[in-house]
Amino acid sequence: MARMVTTRQVVVSTAAAWLFGFMIFFPILWMILTSFKSELDAFATPPVFLVFHWTTENYATVQERSDYFHHALNSVIIAGGSTLIAMLIAVPAAWSMAFSPTKRTKDILLWMLSTKMMPPVGVLVPIYLIFKYFGLLDSRVGLIMLLCLGNLPIVIWMLFTYFKEIPKDILEAARMDGATIGRELVYVLTPMAVPGLASTLLLNFILAWNEAFWTLNLTTLEAAPLTTFIASYSSPEGLFWAKLSAASTLAIAPILILGWFSQRQLVRGLTFGAVK
Amino acid sequence: MATQQTQGLARMLLAPSVILLFIWMIVPLALTIYFSTLHYSLLDPGSESFVGLENFQYFLTDPAFLASLKNTLVLVGAVLAITILLGVPFALLLDQPVIGRNIVRLMVIAPFFVMPTVSALVWKNLLMHPVSGLFAWIASLFGLPAIDWFTDAPMLAVILIVAWQWLPFATLILLTALQSQDGEQKEAAEMDGAGAVSTFIYLTLPHLARPITVVILIETIFLLTVFAEIFVTTGGGPGLQTTNIAFLIYSQALIQFDVGNASAGGLVAVVIANIVAFFLVRIVGRNLEA
């Protein structure tokens, strides 16, 4: 019993939705367009929209000027490393809380989440001094540890939410059929857990990739990921719009594509399943 | 099957994360508390001395604190208002039959994945630049003077940038909630002659109450610590006009090198966040049982 929908309604809502979507997306689109312009076209008044001399030289210049690949590699290592370590610590924890809960499980979960509420700026000074003392400033290892700990509560929560939804009946059925714990883990549980593991992995990679507070304050050059690389374009001598746009496009492209793939899980992950 | 053995195993699996998070929570916090009682300036090494609560007194009575507290609240409040007030109608719109809805959805969600440093720079230079920004050109089409955003309305500019990043989040959460709404209930209401407005007020809005709370609370946690957008665009200025608490503490620690005072400020920030967190944890905790 679908509701009756007239063609006119569809046309109107389609037009409105596309207009709205286009408006929201426009700054990104404009940035991508600008990245293919010459600096002269990028500054042109009135602005040129599609008819200009398309060029990819900005991308080459960006790489020459500040070694995009060095920073991109740092981003991949830092975001990837912190995500993987967080998963290694979080999977067993979420697993045990979901499958062998005790009276204190809920308190532990809430306490874990509450560590996320601590604003980074509140502990910036001690972290900065600790890093200085141990020679971790501007090092990838230091950032990996920091982002891993910062995201750990969210990773555990997301995994817990997914694991808890795996029906226990199936486990019992497998046991009745005489499956050993090892077989149960490999053939029954793992296949059911993979989607949750994958989307948690993706989302935390995205969070770590975009994290700007710690990366801006604790890196200068060696370990600087893309967030810092882009911020260097905010200085007066960096004000070349086409190059800025090319650098920005390069910095967000990988994560935007990943994000689009995981958008359906995003809602559940970020609200801990409170909204379905 | 939950034998002593599996219980022990479960505890062993849980231990590493509990221990790590405990250290992560307690060590920096203890150090912050310790530093906050010291006169401790990085420009003046070796002169550390115990000063009791003097740093707190200094931080809390500094006019910059009140200004930045106000800015923090304005920023959080305005972004919340924009994202909810626009997010609800946009979610309703996307819930209608729309041709190519998946593509619209991808366009709408995109800003959420743009790193804050990038969105700040793109808005500042390509859109809001008073001479060659796109907004200046649009204003000129209507014969209006261009707005010099970061001089004349710096806070509004920051609010717009941050709201643009968070509107997708609100819209997506609300849309997901709408799609789980009971269609039959709506049909029944329509059959009984309820108009679109009363259906919205009596059915849809109550259904959205919970996702709206979730959006408000999660956004609040992130918005209280907005940093990169301010760092990249205004540097807290002009004057103190866009300095929020996060940026104030940053500038005291790493620009003025006053560790003692910054630590006191850090603890104030922790207290403010915890007041908010108290409510968030309660609500999320309630959802956990459902």
Side-chain angles (χ1 to χ4, degrees):
Chain A
M1 273 292 278
R3 276 180 294 157
M4 294 293 280
V5 182
T6 64
T7 320
R8 211 178 123 227
Q9 255 179 314
V10 176
V11 171
V12 170
S13 50
T14 298
W18 275 84
L19 183 70
F20 159 63
F22 185 74
M23 271 169 54
I24 291 289
F25 189 64
F26 184 79
I28 299 172
L29 183 68
W30 189 238
M31 173 190 87
I32 296 171
L33 281 179
T34 307
S35 74
F36 289 106
K37 292 176 184 173
S38 66
E39 290 296 345
L40 214 58
D41 280 339
F43 272 100
T45 326
V48 282
F49 283 90
L50 288 170
V51 187
F52 54 84
H53 177 68
W54 289 66
T55 170
T56 54
E57 71 182 50
N58 297 312
Y59 287 91
T61 321
V62 163
Q63 164 60 15
E64 254 168 55
R65 191 191 110 156
S66 44
D67 199 355
Y68 164 79
F69 287 108
H70 168 71
H71 297 288
L73 186 67
N74 278 339
S75 272
V76 171
I77 292 174
I78 292 166
S82 66
T83 305
L84 285 182
I85 296 174
M87 294 291 285
L88 282 180
I89 303 169
V91 169
W95 193 265
S96 84
M97 284 193 286
F99 286 97
S100 173
T102 63
K103 265 179 274 172
R104 276 177 308 169
T105 296
K106 200 187 140 197
D107 294 333
I108 294 175
L109 275 168
L110 289 181
W111 165 73
M112 285 177 164
L113 188 61
S114 74
T115 65
K116 184 71 196 159
M117 313 300 176
M118 185 165 62
V121 70
V123 293
L124 170 63
V125 174
I127 297 284
Y128 187 86
L129 294 175
I130 290 172
F131 268 46
K132 206 171 147 194
Y133 183 80
F134 287 104
L136 288 171
L137 284 177
D138 204 15
S139 81
R140 294 190 285 225
V141 176
L143 275 182
I144 288 176
M145 286 180 350
L146 213 56
L147 297 192
C148 167
L149 286 168
N151 283 336
L152 196 55
I154 295 192
V155 182
I156 294 176
W157 263 83
M158 287 178 63
L159 290 173
F160 174 79
T161 315
Y162 285 116
F163 288 165
K164 220 181 54 159
E165 283 173 12
I166 295 178
K168 302 252 176 354
D169 303 357
I170 292 188
L171 280 184
E172 270 161 36
R175 266 178 212 160
M176 298 279 247
D177 292 345
T180 61
I181 300 229
R183 288 183 142 261
E184 191 182 293
L185 210 59
V186 175
Y187 293 110
V188 185
L189 285 176
T190 309
M192 296 177 76
V194 162
L197 289 173
S199 52
T200 310
L201 200 85
L202 274 174
L203 278 169
N204 283 281
F205 189 77
I206 294 170
L207 285 181
W209 184 280
N210 286 342
E211 201 286 328
F213 182 79
W214 295 117
T215 52
L216 284 177
N217 282 313
L218 300 176
T219 66
T220 46
L221 190 66
E222 250 342 276
L226 289 168
T227 42
T228 318
F229 158 78
I230 291 298
S232 75
Y233 279 81
S234 63
S235 58
E237 68 267 29
L239 280 184
F240 293 102
W241 288 4
K243 288 174 196 71
L244 163 69
S245 301
S248 300
T249 307
L250 285 171
I252 69 160
I255 220 64
L256 184 61
I257 292 164
L258 260 188
W260 274 342
F261 276 115
S262 57
Q263 51 138 352
R264 276 178 207 288
Q265 286 78 37
L266 182 83
V267 179
R268 249 167 52 129
L270 280 173
T271 60
F272 310 117
V275 176
K276 297 210 170 119
Chain B
M1 279 292 278
T3 56
Q4 211 89 56
Q5 203 187 351
T6 53
Q7 284 290 334
L9 181 70
R11 255 184 230 144
M12 261 170 53
L13 293 175
L14 189 55
S17 51
V18 170
I19 293 167
L20 277 174
L21 279 174
F22 188 72
I23 296 172
W24 165 237
M25 177 183 80
I26 212 72
V27 172
L29 199 61
L31 278 172
T32 309
I33 294 173
Y34 171 62
F35 290 149
S36 71
T37 63
L38 297 181
H39 166 78
Y40 185 174
S41 168
L42 291 176
L43 292 178
D44 194 7
S47 72
E48 291 88 50
S49 57
F50 181 78
V51 293
L53 295 176
E54 205 177 278
N55 283 320
F56 287 94
Q57 197 190 353
Y58 184 77
F59 184 85
L60 291 171
T61 54
D62 186 352
F65 168 67
L66 275 186
S68 64
L69 181 64
K70 197 196 101 199
N71 287 337
T72 306
L73 296 178
V74 167
L75 179 64
V76 174
V79 173
L80 279 178
I82 294 174
T83 53
I84 302 285
L85 290 180
L86 291 179
V88 171
F90 288 158
L92 285 171
L93 175 63
L94 292 181
D95 192 38
Q96 304 300 310
V98 165
I99 300 164
R101 178 154 67 189
N102 286 340
I103 299 172
V104 176
R105 216 176 140 121
L106 291 184
M107 290 201 290
V108 170
I109 189 71
F112 194 71
F113 303 120
V114 177
M115 56 178 76
T117 42
V118 165
S119 62
L121 279 176
V122 166
W123 277 78
K124 180 185 181 180
N125 294 313
L126 301 185
L127 301 175
M128 288 175 165
H129 192 281
V131 180
S132 0
L134 202 67
F135 289 175
W137 175 72
I138 293 171
S140 75
L141 288 184
F142 295 97
L144 297 168
I147 303 169
D148 189 353
W149 290 89
F150 293 99
T151 309
D152 296 336
M155 194 45 155
L156 181 61
V158 173
I159 288 171
L160 284 178
I161 296 171
V162 179
W164 175 73
Q165 288 180 284
W166 283 95
L167 181 58
F169 175 75
T171 308
L172 193 67
I173 302 281
L174 295 171
L175 175 62
T176 310
L178 278 180
Q179 287 174 342
S180 72
Q181 192 180 6
D182 188 357
E184 282 180 20
Q185 218 182 13
K186 251 159 85 180
E187 265 171 53
E190 265 162 42
M191 300 259 249
D192 291 344
V197 176
S198 48
T199 310
F200 173 74
I201 292 176
Y202 295 108
L203 281 181
T204 308
L205 216 48
H207 179 77
L208 287 182
R210 186 158 112 165
I212 287 176
T213 3
V214 172
V215 168
I216 289 177
L217 289 160
I218 289 178
E219 278 191 21
T220 306
I221 291 296
F222 283 91
L223 295 176
L224 279 173
T225 58
V226 164
F227 175 79
E229 292 84 342
I230 295 171
F231 177 84
V232 169
T233 55
T234 65
L240 288 169
Q241 285 189 58
T242 55
T243 299
N244 65 354
I245 302 240
F247 199 83
L248 179 67
I249 297 164
Y250 158 80
S251 73
Q252 274 167 344
L254 296 187
I255 297 177
Q256 296 167 32
F257 300 111
D258 188 342
V259 174
N261 200 20
S263 297
L267 286 177
V268 173
V270 170
V271 169
I272 295 173
N274 272 293
I275 295 171
V276 178
F278 176 75
F279 293 103
L280 175 67
V281 162
R282 273 171 53 129
I283 289 185
V284 174
R286 204 174 300 149
N287 285 328
L288 189 63
E289 315 213 341

